[in-house]
Coordinates of all heavy atoms in Angstrom, one line a residue:
M7 N 14.3 128.1 78.6 CA 14.8 128.2 79.9 C 13.6 128.1 80.9 O 12.6 128.8 80.7 CB 15.5 129.5 80.1 CG 16.3 129.6 81.4 SD 17.3 131.1 81.5 CE 18.7 130.6 80.6
K8 N 13.7 127.3 81.9 CA 12.7 127.1 82.9 C 13.1 127.8 84.2 O 14.3 127.8 84.6 CB 12.4 125.7 83.1 CG 11.8 125.0 81.9 CD 10.6 124.3 82.3 CE 10.0 123.6 81.1 NZ 8.6 123.4 81.2
F9 N 12.1 128.3 84.9 CA 12.3 129.0 86.2 C 11.3 128.4 87.2 O 10.2 128.0 86.8 CB 12.1 130.5 86.1 CG 13.1 131.1 85.1 CD1 12.6 131.4 83.8 CD2 14.4 131.5 85.4 CE1 13.5 131.9 82.8 CE2 15.2 132.0 84.5 CZ 14.8 132.3 83.2
K10 N 11.7 128.5 88.5 CA 10.8 128.0 89.5 C 9.6 129.0 89.7 O 8.5 128.5 90.0 CB 11.5 128.0 90.9 CG 12.6 126.9 90.9 CD 13.3 126.9 92.3 CE 14.4 125.9 92.3 NZ 15.2 125.9 93.5
N11 N 9.8 130.3 89.5 CA 8.7 131.2 89.6 C 9.1 132.5 88.8 O 10.2 132.7 88.3 CB 8.4 131.5 91.0 CG 9.6 132.0 91.8 OD1 10.3 132.9 91.4 ND2 9.8 131.4 93.0
F12 N 8.1 133.4 88.7 CA 8.3 134.6 88.0 C 9.4 135.5 88.6 O 10.2 136.1 87.8 CB 7.0 135.4 88.0 CG 7.0 136.5 87.0 CD1 6.8 136.3 85.6 CD2 7.0 137.8 87.5 CE1 6.8 137.4 84.8 CE2 7.0 138.9 86.6 CZ 6.9 138.7 85.2
E13 N 9.5 135.6 89.9 CA 10.5 136.4 90.5 C 11.9 135.9 90.2 O 12.8 136.7 90.0 CB 10.3 136.4 92.0 CG 9.0 137.2 92.4 CD 7.7 136.5 92.2 OE1 7.7 135.2 92.1 OE2 6.7 137.2 92.1
E14 N 12.1 134.6 90.2 CA 13.4 134.0 89.8 C 13.8 134.4 88.4 O 14.9 134.7 88.2 CB 13.3 132.5 90.0 CG 14.7 131.8 89.6 CD 14.7 130.3 89.6 OE1 13.7 129.7 89.1 OE2 15.7 129.7 90.1
M15 N 12.8 134.4 87.5 CA 13.1 134.8 86.1 C 13.6 136.2 86.1 O 14.6 136.5 85.4 CB 11.8 134.6 85.3 CG 12.1 135.0 83.8 SD 10.7 135.7 82.9 CE 10.0 136.9 83.9
L16 N 12.9 137.1 86.8 CA 13.3 138.5 86.8 C 14.7 138.7 87.4 O 15.5 139.4 86.9 CB 12.3 139.4 87.5 CG 10.9 139.6 86.8 CD1 10.0 140.4 87.7 CD2 11.1 140.2 85.4
M17 N 14.9 138.0 88.5 CA 16.2 138.1 89.2 C 17.4 137.5 88.3 O 18.4 138.1 88.2 CB 16.2 137.3 90.5 CG 15.3 137.8 91.5 SD 15.9 139.3 92.3 CE 17.2 138.6 93.3
T18 N 17.1 136.4 87.6 CA 18.1 135.9 86.7 C 18.5 136.8 85.6 O 19.6 136.8 85.1 CB 17.6 134.5 86.1 OG1 17.3 133.7 87.1 CG2 18.6 133.9 85.2
C19 N 17.5 137.7 85.1 CA 17.8 138.6 84.0 C 18.6 139.8 84.5 O 19.0 140.6 83.6 CB 16.5 139.0 83.4 SG 15.6 137.6 82.6
G20 N 18.7 140.0 85.8 CA 19.5 141.2 86.3 C 19.0 142.5 85.8 O 17.8 142.8 85.8
D21 N 19.9 143.3 85.3 CA 19.5 144.6 84.8 C 19.2 144.6 83.3 O 19.0 145.7 82.7 CB 20.7 145.6 85.0 CG 20.8 146.0 86.4 OD1 19.8 146.0 87.1 OD2 21.9 146.3 86.9
S22 N 19.1 143.5 82.7 CA 18.6 143.4 81.3 C 17.2 143.9 81.1 O 16.4 143.8 82.1 CB 18.7 142.0 80.8 OG 20.0 141.5 80.8
L23 N 16.9 144.4 80.0 CA 15.5 144.8 79.7 C 14.7 143.5 79.4 O 15.1 142.6 78.6 CB 15.5 145.6 78.4 CG 14.2 146.4 78.2 CD1 13.9 147.4 79.3 CD2 14.3 147.2 76.9
V24 N 13.6 143.3 80.1 CA 12.8 142.1 80.0 C 11.4 142.4 79.5 O 10.7 143.3 80.1 CB 12.7 141.4 81.4 CG1 11.8 140.1 81.3 CG2 14.1 141.1 82.0
I25 N 11.0 141.8 78.5 CA 9.7 142.0 77.9 C 8.9 140.8 78.2 O 9.2 139.6 77.8 CB 9.8 142.2 76.3 CG1 10.7 143.4 76.1 CG2 8.4 142.3 75.7 CD1 11.0 143.6 74.6
V26 N 7.7 141.0 78.9 CA 6.9 139.8 79.2 C 5.5 140.1 78.6 O 4.9 141.1 78.8 CB 6.7 139.7 80.8 CG1 5.8 138.6 81.1 CG2 8.1 139.5 81.4
T27 N 5.1 139.2 77.7 CA 3.8 139.3 77.1 C 2.8 138.4 77.8 O 3.0 137.2 78.0 CB 3.9 138.8 75.6 OG1 4.9 139.5 75.0 CG2 2.6 139.0 74.9
F28 N 1.7 139.0 78.2 CA 0.6 138.3 78.8 C -0.5 138.1 77.8 O -1.0 139.1 77.2 CB 0.0 139.1 80.0 CG 0.9 139.2 81.2 CD1 1.9 140.2 81.2 CD2 0.8 138.3 82.2 CE1 2.7 140.3 82.3 CE2 1.7 138.4 83.3 CZ 2.6 139.4 83.4
S29 N -0.8 136.8 77.5 CA -1.7 136.5 76.4 C -2.4 135.2 76.6 O -2.1 134.5 77.6 CB -0.9 136.5 75.1 OG 0.1 135.5 75.1
T30 N -3.2 134.8 75.6 CA -3.8 133.4 75.6 C -3.6 132.8 74.2 O -3.5 133.6 73.3 CB -5.3 133.4 76.0 OG1 -6.0 134.1 75.0 CG2 -5.5 134.0 77.4
N31 N -3.7 131.5 74.1 CA -3.6 130.9 72.8 C -4.7 131.2 71.9 O -4.6 131.2 70.7 CB -3.4 129.4 73.0 CG -2.1 129.0 73.6 OD1 -1.1 129.7 73.5 ND2 -2.1 127.9 74.4
L32 N -5.9 131.4 72.4 CA -7.1 131.6 71.6 C -7.3 133.1 71.2 O -8.3 133.4 70.5 CB -8.3 131.0 72.3 CG -8.3 129.5 72.6 CD1 -9.5 129.1 73.4 CD2 -8.1 128.7 71.3
C33 N -6.5 134.0 71.7 CA -6.7 135.4 71.4 C -6.1 135.8 70.1 O -4.9 135.7 69.9 CB -6.0 136.2 72.6 SG -5.8 137.9 72.3
G34 N -6.9 136.2 69.1 CA -6.4 136.6 67.8 C -5.4 137.8 67.9 O -4.4 137.8 67.2
S35 N -5.8 138.8 68.7 CA -4.9 140.0 68.9 C -3.5 139.5 69.5 O -2.5 140.1 69.1 CB -5.5 141.0 69.7 OG -6.7 141.5 69.1
C36 N -3.6 138.5 70.3 CA -2.4 138.0 71.0 C -1.4 137.4 69.9 O -0.2 137.6 69.9 CB -2.7 137.0 72.1 SG -3.7 137.7 73.4
R37 N -2.0 136.7 69.0 CA -1.3 136.1 67.9 C -0.6 137.1 67.0 O 0.5 137.0 66.6 CB -2.1 135.1 67.1 CG -2.4 133.8 67.9 CD -3.1 132.8 67.0 NE -4.3 133.2 66.4 CZ -5.5 133.0 67.0 NH1 -5.6 132.4 68.1 NH2 -6.6 133.3 66.4
S38 N -1.4 138.2 66.8 CA -0.8 139.3 66.0 C 0.3 140.0 66.7 O 1.4 140.3 66.1 CB -1.9 140.4 65.7 OG -2.9 139.8 64.9
M39 N 0.2 140.2 68.0 CA 1.3 140.8 68.7 C 2.5 139.9 68.8 O 3.6 140.4 68.8 CB 0.8 141.2 70.1 CG 1.8 142.1 70.9 SD 2.1 143.6 70.1 CE 3.1 144.4 71.2
K40 N 2.2 138.6 68.9 CA 3.3 137.6 69.0 C 4.2 137.8 67.7 O 5.4 137.7 67.7 CB 2.8 136.2 69.1 CG 3.9 135.2 69.2 CD 3.3 133.8 69.4 CE 4.4 132.8 69.6 NZ 3.8 131.4 69.9
K41 N 3.5 137.9 66.5 CA 4.2 138.1 65.3 C 5.0 139.4 65.3 O 6.2 139.4 64.9 CB 3.2 138.2 64.1 CG 3.8 138.3 62.8 CD 2.7 138.4 61.7 CE 3.4 138.7 60.4 NZ 2.4 138.9 59.3
E42 N 4.5 140.5 65.8 CA 5.2 141.8 65.9 C 6.4 141.6 66.8 O 7.5 142.1 66.5 CB 4.3 142.9 66.4 CG 3.2 143.2 65.4 CD 3.7 143.7 64.0 OE1 4.7 144.4 64.0 OE2 3.0 143.4 63.0
L43 N 6.2 140.9 67.9 CA 7.3 140.8 68.9 C 8.4 139.8 68.3 O 9.6 140.0 68.7 CB 6.8 140.2 70.2 CG 6.0 141.3 71.0 CD1 5.4 140.6 72.3 CD2 6.8 142.5 71.4
G44 N 8.0 138.9 67.4 CA 9.0 138.1 66.8 C 9.9 139.0 65.9 O 11.1 138.7 65.8
E45 N 9.3 140.0 65.3 CA 10.1 140.9 64.5 C 11.0 141.7 65.4 O 12.2 141.9 65.0 CB 9.2 141.8 63.6 CG 10.0 142.6 62.6 CD 9.0 143.4 61.7 OE1 7.9 143.0 61.5 OE2 9.5 144.5 61.2
V46 N 10.5 142.2 66.5 CA 11.3 142.9 67.5 C 12.5 142.1 67.9 O 13.6 142.5 67.9 CB 10.5 143.3 68.7 CG1 11.3 143.9 69.8 CG2 9.4 144.3 68.3
S47 N 12.2 140.8 68.2 CA 13.3 139.9 68.6 C 14.4 139.8 67.6 O 15.6 139.7 67.9 CB 12.7 138.6 69.0 OG 13.7 137.7 69.4
S48 N 13.9 139.6 66.3 CA 14.9 139.5 65.2 C 15.8 140.7 65.0 O 16.9 140.6 64.6 CB 14.2 139.1 63.9 OG 13.5 140.1 63.4
L49 N 15.2 141.9 65.4 CA 16.0 143.1 65.2 C 16.8 143.5 66.4 O 17.9 144.0 66.2 CB 15.0 144.3 64.9 CG 14.3 144.1 63.5 CD1 13.2 145.2 63.4 CD2 15.3 144.2 62.4
I50 N 16.3 143.3 67.6 CA 17.1 143.7 68.8 C 17.1 142.6 69.9 O 17.3 142.9 71.1 CB 16.5 145.0 69.4 CG1 15.1 144.8 69.9 CG2 16.6 146.2 68.4 CD1 14.6 146.0 70.8
G51 N 16.9 141.4 69.5 CA 16.8 140.3 70.5 C 18.0 140.1 71.4 O 17.8 139.7 72.5
G52 N 19.1 140.5 70.9 CA 20.3 140.4 71.7 C 20.4 141.4 72.9 O 21.1 141.2 73.9
E53 N 19.6 142.4 72.8 CA 19.6 143.5 73.8 C 18.5 143.3 74.8 O 18.5 144.0 75.8 CB 19.4 144.8 73.1 CG 20.5 145.1 72.1 CD 20.3 146.4 71.4 OE1 20.1 147.5 72.1 OE2 20.3 146.5 70.2
V54 N 17.5 142.4 74.6 CA 16.4 142.2 75.5 C 16.2 140.7 75.7 O 16.6 139.9 75.0 CB 15.1 142.8 75.0 CG1 15.3 144.3 74.8 CG2 14.7 142.2 73.7
K55 N 15.5 140.4 76.8 CA 15.0 139.1 77.1 C 13.5 139.1 77.0 O 12.9 139.9 77.5 CB 15.5 138.6 78.4 CG 17.0 138.7 78.6 CD 17.5 137.7 79.5 CE 19.0 137.9 79.8 NZ 19.9 137.6 78.8
M56 N 13.0 138.1 76.3 CA 11.5 138.0 76.0 C 10.9 136.8 76.6 O 11.5 135.7 76.4 CB 11.2 138.2 74.5 CG 11.8 139.4 73.9 SD 11.5 139.5 72.2 CE 10.0 140.5 72.1
F57 N 9.8 136.9 77.2 CA 9.0 135.8 77.8 C 7.6 136.0 77.5 O 7.1 137.1 77.3 CB 9.3 135.7 79.3 CG 10.7 135.5 79.7 CD1 11.5 136.6 80.0 CD2 11.2 134.2 79.7 CE1 12.8 136.4 80.3 CE2 12.6 134.1 80.1 CZ 13.4 135.1 80.4
S58 N 6.8 134.9 77.6 CA 5.4 134.9 77.4 C 4.7 134.2 78.5 O 5.2 133.1 78.9 CB 5.0 134.3 76.0 OG 3.6 134.4 75.8
I59 N 3.6 134.8 79.0 CA 2.9 134.2 80.1 C 1.5 133.9 79.6 O 0.8 134.8 79.1 CB 2.8 135.2 81.3 CG1 4.1 135.5 81.9 CG2 1.9 134.6 82.4 CD1 4.9 134.4 82.5
D60 N 1.1 132.6 79.7 CA -0.3 132.2 79.3 C -1.3 132.5 80.4 O -1.2 132.0 81.5 CB -0.3 130.7 79.0 CG -1.6 130.2 78.5 OD1 -2.6 130.9 78.7 OD2 -1.6 129.1 77.8
M61 N -2.1 133.5 80.2 CA -3.1 133.9 81.2 C -4.1 132.9 81.6 O -4.7 132.9 82.7 CB -3.8 135.2 80.7 CG -2.9 136.4 80.7 SD -2.5 137.0 82.3 CE -4.1 137.5 82.9
D62 N -4.3 131.9 80.7 CA -5.2 130.8 81.1 C -4.6 129.9 82.1 O -5.3 129.4 83.0 CB -5.5 129.9 79.8 CG -6.5 130.6 78.9 OD1 -7.3 131.5 79.3 OD2 -6.4 130.3 77.7
K63 N -3.3 129.8 82.1 CA -2.5 129.0 83.1 C -2.1 129.8 84.4 O -2.0 129.2 85.4 CB -1.3 128.4 82.5 CG -1.6 127.4 81.4 CD -0.3 126.8 80.8 CE -0.7 125.8 79.7 NZ 0.5 125.3 79.1
F64 N -1.9 131.1 84.2 CA -1.4 131.9 85.3 C -2.1 133.2 85.5 O -1.6 134.3 85.4 CB 0.1 132.2 85.1 CG 1.0 131.0 84.9 CD1 1.4 130.5 83.7 CD2 1.3 130.2 86.0 CE1 2.2 129.4 83.5 CE2 2.1 129.1 85.9 CZ 2.5 128.7 84.6
P65 N -3.4 133.1 85.7 CA -4.3 134.3 85.8 C -3.9 135.2 87.0 O -4.0 136.5 86.9 CB -5.7 133.8 86.0 CG -5.5 132.4 86.5 CD -4.3 131.9 85.9
K66 N -3.4 134.7 88.1 CA -3.0 135.5 89.2 C -1.8 136.4 89.0 O -1.7 137.5 89.5 CB -2.7 134.6 90.5 CG -4.0 134.0 91.0 CD -3.7 133.1 92.2 CE -5.0 132.5 92.7 NZ -4.7 131.6 93.9
L67 N -0.9 135.9 88.1 CA 0.2 136.7 87.7 C -0.2 137.9 86.9 O 0.3 139.0 87.1 CB 1.2 135.8 87.0 CG 2.6 136.4 86.7 CD1 3.3 136.8 88.0 CD2 3.5 135.4 86.0
G68 N -1.1 137.7 86.0 CA -1.7 138.8 85.3 C -2.4 139.8 86.2 O -2.2 141.0 86.0
T69 N -3.1 139.3 87.2 CA -3.8 140.2 88.1 C -2.8 141.0 88.9 O -2.9 142.2 89.1 CB -4.7 139.4 89.1 OG1 -5.6 138.7 88.3 CG2 -5.4 140.3 90.1
R70 N -1.7 140.4 89.3 CA -0.6 141.1 90.1 C -0.1 142.3 89.3 O 0.3 143.3 89.9 CB 0.5 140.1 90.4 CG 1.6 140.8 91.3 CD 2.8 140.0 91.5 NE 2.6 138.6 91.8 CZ 3.5 137.7 91.8 NH1 4.8 138.0 91.5 NH2 3.3 136.4 92.0
Y71 N 0.0 142.1 88.0 CA 0.6 143.2 87.2 C -0.5 144.0 86.5 O -0.2 144.8 85.5 CB 1.6 142.7 86.2 CG 2.8 142.2 87.0 CD1 3.0 140.9 87.3 CD2 3.8 143.1 87.4 CE1 4.1 140.5 88.0 CE2 4.9 142.8 88.2 CZ 5.0 141.4 88.5 OH 6.1 141.0 89.2
G72 N -1.7 144.0 86.9 CA -2.8 144.8 86.4 C -3.2 144.6 85.0 O -3.6 145.5 84.3
V73 N -3.1 143.3 84.5 CA -3.4 143.0 83.1 C -4.9 142.9 83.0 O -5.5 142.1 83.7 CB -2.7 141.7 82.7 CG1 -3.2 141.3 81.3 CG2 -1.2 141.8 82.7
E74 N -5.5 143.8 82.2 CA -6.9 143.8 82.0 C -7.3 143.6 80.5 O -8.4 143.3 80.2 CB -7.5 145.1 82.5 CG -7.4 145.3 84.0 CD -7.9 146.6 84.5 OE1 -8.4 147.4 83.6 OE2 -7.9 146.8 85.7
I75 N -6.3 143.9 79.6 CA -6.5 143.8 78.2 C -5.4 142.8 77.6 O -4.3 142.8 78.1 CB -6.3 145.2 77.5 CG1 -7.3 146.1 78.0 CG2 -6.3 145.1 76.0 CD1 -7.1 147.6 77.6
L76 N -5.9 141.9 76.7 CA -4.9 141.0 76.1 C -4.8 141.4 74.6 O -5.7 141.8 74.0 CB -5.4 139.6 76.1 CG -5.5 139.0 77.6 CD1 -6.1 137.6 77.5 CD2 -4.2 139.0 78.2
P77 N -3.6 141.4 74.1 CA -2.3 141.2 74.9 C -1.9 142.4 75.6 O -2.2 143.5 75.3 CB -1.3 140.8 73.8 CG -1.8 141.7 72.6 CD -3.3 141.7 72.7
T78 N -1.1 142.2 76.7 CA -0.5 143.2 77.4 C 1.0 142.8 77.5 O 1.3 141.7 77.9 CB -1.0 143.4 78.9 OG1 -2.4 143.9 78.7 CG2 -0.2 144.4 79.7
V79 N 1.9 143.8 77.2 CA 3.3 143.6 77.3 C 3.8 144.5 78.4 O 3.6 145.7 78.4 CB 4.0 144.0 75.9 CG1 5.5 143.9 76.1 CG2 3.5 143.2 74.8
V80 N 4.4 143.8 79.4 CA 5.0 144.6 80.5 C 6.5 144.5 80.4 O 7.1 143.5 80.2 CB 4.5 144.0 81.9 CG1 5.1 144.7 83.0 CG2 3.0 143.9 82.0
I81 N 7.1 145.7 80.5 CA 8.5 145.9 80.3 C 9.2 146.1 81.7 O 8.8 147.0 82.4 CB 8.8 147.0 79.3 CG1 8.1 146.8 78.0 CG2 10.3 147.2 79.2 CD1 8.0 148.0 77.1
F82 N 10.1 145.2 82.0 CA 10.8 145.3 83.3 C 12.3 145.6 83.0 O 12.9 145.3 82.0 CB 10.8 143.9 84.0 CG 9.4 143.4 84.4 CD1 8.6 142.8 83.5 CD2 9.0 143.6 85.7 CE1 7.4 142.3 83.9 CE2 7.7 143.2 86.1 CZ 6.9 142.5 85.1
K83 N 12.9 146.3 84.0 CA 14.3 146.5 84.1 C 14.7 146.5 85.5 O 14.1 147.2 86.4 CB 14.7 147.8 83.4 CG 16.2 147.9 83.3 CD 16.6 148.9 82.2 CE 18.1 148.8 82.1 NZ 18.6 149.5 80.9
G84 N 15.7 145.6 85.9 CA 16.1 145.5 87.3 C 15.0 145.0 88.1 O 14.9 145.3 89.3
G85 N 14.1 144.2 87.6 CA 13.0 143.6 88.3 C 11.8 144.5 88.5 O 10.8 144.1 89.1
E86 N 11.9 145.8 88.1 CA 10.8 146.7 88.2 C 10.1 147.0 86.9 O 10.7 147.0 85.9 CB 11.4 148.0 88.8 CG 12.1 147.9 90.1 CD 11.2 147.6 91.2 OE1 10.0 148.0 91.2 OE2 11.6 146.8 92.1
V87 N 8.8 147.3 87.0 CA 8.0 147.6 85.8 C 8.4 149.0 85.4 O 8.4 150.0 86.1 CB 6.5 147.6 86.1 CG1 5.7 148.1 84.9 CG2 6.1 146.2 86.5
F88 N 8.8 149.1 84.1 CA 9.2 150.4 83.5 C 8.1 151.0 82.6 O 8.0 152.2 82.4 CB 10.5 150.3 82.8 CG 11.7 150.6 83.6 CD1 12.1 149.8 84.6 CD2 12.4 151.8 83.4 CE1 13.2 150.1 85.4 CE2 13.5 152.1 84.2 CZ 13.9 151.3 85.2
D89 N 7.4 150.1 81.9 CA 6.4 150.5 80.9 C 5.5 149.3 80.6 O 5.8 148.2 81.0 CB 7.2 150.9 79.6 CG 6.3 151.8 78.7 OD1 5.2 152.1 79.0 OD2 6.9 152.3 77.7
R90 N 4.4 149.6 79.8 CA 3.5 148.6 79.4 C 2.9 149.0 78.1 O 2.7 150.2 77.8 CB 2.5 148.3 80.5 CG 1.5 149.4 80.7 CD 0.6 149.2 82.0 NE -0.1 148.0 82.0 CZ 0.0 147.0 82.9 NH1 0.8 147.2 83.9 NH2 -0.7 145.9 82.9
I91 N 2.6 148.0 77.3 CA 1.9 148.2 76.0 C 0.6 147.3 76.1 O 0.7 146.1 76.3 CB 2.8 147.8 74.9 CG1 4.0 148.6 74.8 CG2 2.0 147.8 73.5 CD1 5.1 148.0 73.9
E92 N -0.5 147.9 75.9 CA -1.8 147.2 75.9 C -2.3 147.1 74.5 O -2.4 148.1 73.8 CB -2.8 147.8 76.8 CG -2.3 147.8 78.3 CD -3.2 148.4 79.3 OE1 -3.9 149.4 78.9 OE2 -3.3 148.0 80.4
G93 N -2.7 145.9 74.0 CA -3.2 145.8 72.7 C -2.0 145.5 71.7 O -0.9 145.2 72.1
V94 N -2.3 145.6 70.4 CA -1.4 145.3 69.4 C -0.7 146.6 68.9 O -1.3 147.6 68.7 CB -2.0 144.6 68.2 CG1 -1.0 144.3 67.1 CG2 -2.7 143.3 68.6
E95 N 0.6 146.6 68.9 CA 1.4 147.7 68.3 C 2.4 147.1 67.3 O 2.9 146.0 67.5 CB 2.2 148.4 69.4 CG 1.3 149.3 70.2 CD 2.0 150.5 70.8 OE1 3.1 150.8 70.5 OE2 1.3 151.2 71.7
S96 N 2.8 147.9 66.3 CA 3.7 147.4 65.3 C 5.1 147.2 65.9 O 5.4 147.9 66.9 CB 3.8 148.4 64.1 OG 4.4 149.6 64.6
A97 N 5.9 146.4 65.3 CA 7.3 146.2 65.8 C 8.0 147.5 65.8 O 8.8 147.8 66.8 CB 8.0 145.2 64.8
D98 N 7.9 148.4 64.8 CA 8.5 149.7 64.8 C 8.2 150.5 66.0 O 9.1 151.1 66.6 CB 8.2 150.5 63.5 CG 8.8 149.8 62.3 OD1 9.8 149.1 62.4 OD2 8.3 150.1 61.2
K99 N 6.9 150.5 66.4 CA 6.5 151.3 67.6 C 7.0 150.7 68.9 O 7.4 151.4 69.8 CB 5.0 151.4 67.6 CG 4.4 152.4 66.6 CD 2.9 152.5 66.8 CE 2.3 153.5 65.7 NZ 0.9 153.6 65.9
V100 N 7.1 149.4 68.9 CA 7.6 148.7 70.1 C 9.1 149.1 70.3 O 9.5 149.4 71.3 CB 7.4 147.2 70.1 CG1 8.1 146.5 71.2 CG2 5.9 146.9 70.1
I101 N 9.8 149.0 69.2 CA 11.2 149.3 69.2 C 11.5 150.7 69.6 O 12.4 151.0 70.4 CB 11.9 148.9 67.9 CG1 11.9 147.4 67.7 CG2 13.3 149.5 67.8 CD1 12.4 146.9 66.3
A102 N 10.7 151.6 69.1 CA 10.8 153.0 69.5 C 10.6 153.2 71.0 O 11.4 154.0 71.6 CB 9.8 153.9 68.7
R103 N 9.7 152.6 71.5 CA 9.4 152.7 73.0 C 10.6 152.1 73.8 O 11.0 152.6 74.8 CB 8.1 152.0 73.4 CG 6.9 152.8 72.9 CD 5.6 152.2 73.3 NE 5.3 152.4 74.7 CZ 4.1 152.2 75.1 NH1 3.1 151.8 74.3 NH2 3.8 152.4 76.4
L104 N 11.1 150.9 73.3 CA 12.2 150.2 74.0 C 13.5 151.0 73.9 O 14.3 150.9 74.8 CB 12.4 148.8 73.4 CG 11.2 147.9 73.6 CD1 11.5 146.5 72.9 CD2 10.9 147.6 75.1
S105 N 13.7 151.8 72.8 CA 14.9 152.4 72.6 C 15.3 153.4 73.8 O 16.4 153.7 74.0 CB 15.0 153.2 71.3 OG 14.0 154.2 71.3
T106 N 14.3 153.9 74.5 CA 14.5 154.8 75.6 C 15.1 154.1 76.8 O 15.7 154.7 77.6 CB 13.2 155.5 76.0 OG1 12.3 154.6 76.5 CG2 12.7 156.4 74.9
Y107 N 15.0 152.8 76.8 CA 15.5 152.0 77.9 C 16.8 151.2 77.6 O 17.4 150.6 78.5 CB 14.4 151.0 78.4 CG 13.1 151.6 78.7 CD1 12.0 151.2 78.0 CD2 13.0 152.5 79.7 CE1 10.8 151.8 78.2 CE2 11.7 153.1 80.0 CZ 10.6 152.7 79.2 OH 9.4 153.3 79.5
L108 N 17.1 151.2 76.3 CA 18.3 150.4 75.9 C 19.6 151.2 76.1 O 19.7 152.3 76.0 CB 18.2 149.9 74.5 CG 17.1 148.9 74.2 CD1 16.9 148.7 72.7 CD2 17.3 147.6 75.0

């Protein structure tokens, strides 16, 4: 799905839980987190919407959300930041954190 901008993406998702991963293609930790988030998606994907932002292409967006470490996962609900995960976490830990918002 394509959007004109980040705000449109958040608005389109409404009150759904939105997981946005800020990463780069060359980041080894980012690839590890992508694998963990793939598992999260397979377990609870119907309950959340997941997107990935390439920091090499959109560095200003990362700056807007205070991304200093890659990967960083920012969790939104209703267009507002609810939580963030910096670095790599297991799928089980991510799901445990998300369960408080589902």
Side-chain angles (χ1 to χ4, degrees):
M7 188 177 276
K8 294 230 179 202
F9 301 96
K10 291 179 186 175
N11 56 48
F12 191 76
E13 291 75 22
E14 179 186 41
M15 181 211 47
L16 290 177
M17 295 284 290
T18 301
C19 294
D21 286 333
S22 296
L23 196 62
V24 180
I25 299 171
V26 179
T27 306
F28 291 87
S29 62
T30 66
N31 290 331
L32 299 177
C33 168
S35 296
C36 298
R37 288 190 298 270
S38 296
M39 189 61 175
K40 183 177 181 177
K41 181 180 174 186
E42 295 299 322
L43 290 174
E45 189 174 333
V46 170
S47 179
S48 71
L49 295 171
I50 63 166
E53 299 178 54
V54 299
K55 304 212 185 292
M56 300 177 95
F57 299 94
S58 183
I59 302 294
D60 185 339
M61 288 291 292
D62 289 332
K63 293 181 181 176
F64 303 102
K66 290 181 181 178
L67 193 55
T69 300
R70 182 187 320 167
Y71 289 99
V73 175
E74 297 178 358
I75 296 170
L76 295 178
T78 294
V79 176
V80 180
I81 302 163
F82 294 85
K83 189 159 186 166
E86 300 294 322
V87 175
F88 268 71
D89 199 357
R90 67 190 305 118
I91 299 168
E92 295 178 329
V94 178
E95 286 206 11
S96 70
D98 291 338
K99 286 184 179 179
V100 173
I101 290 170
R103 288 179 77 164
L104 295 176
S105 67
T106 61
Y107 307 117
L108 295 173

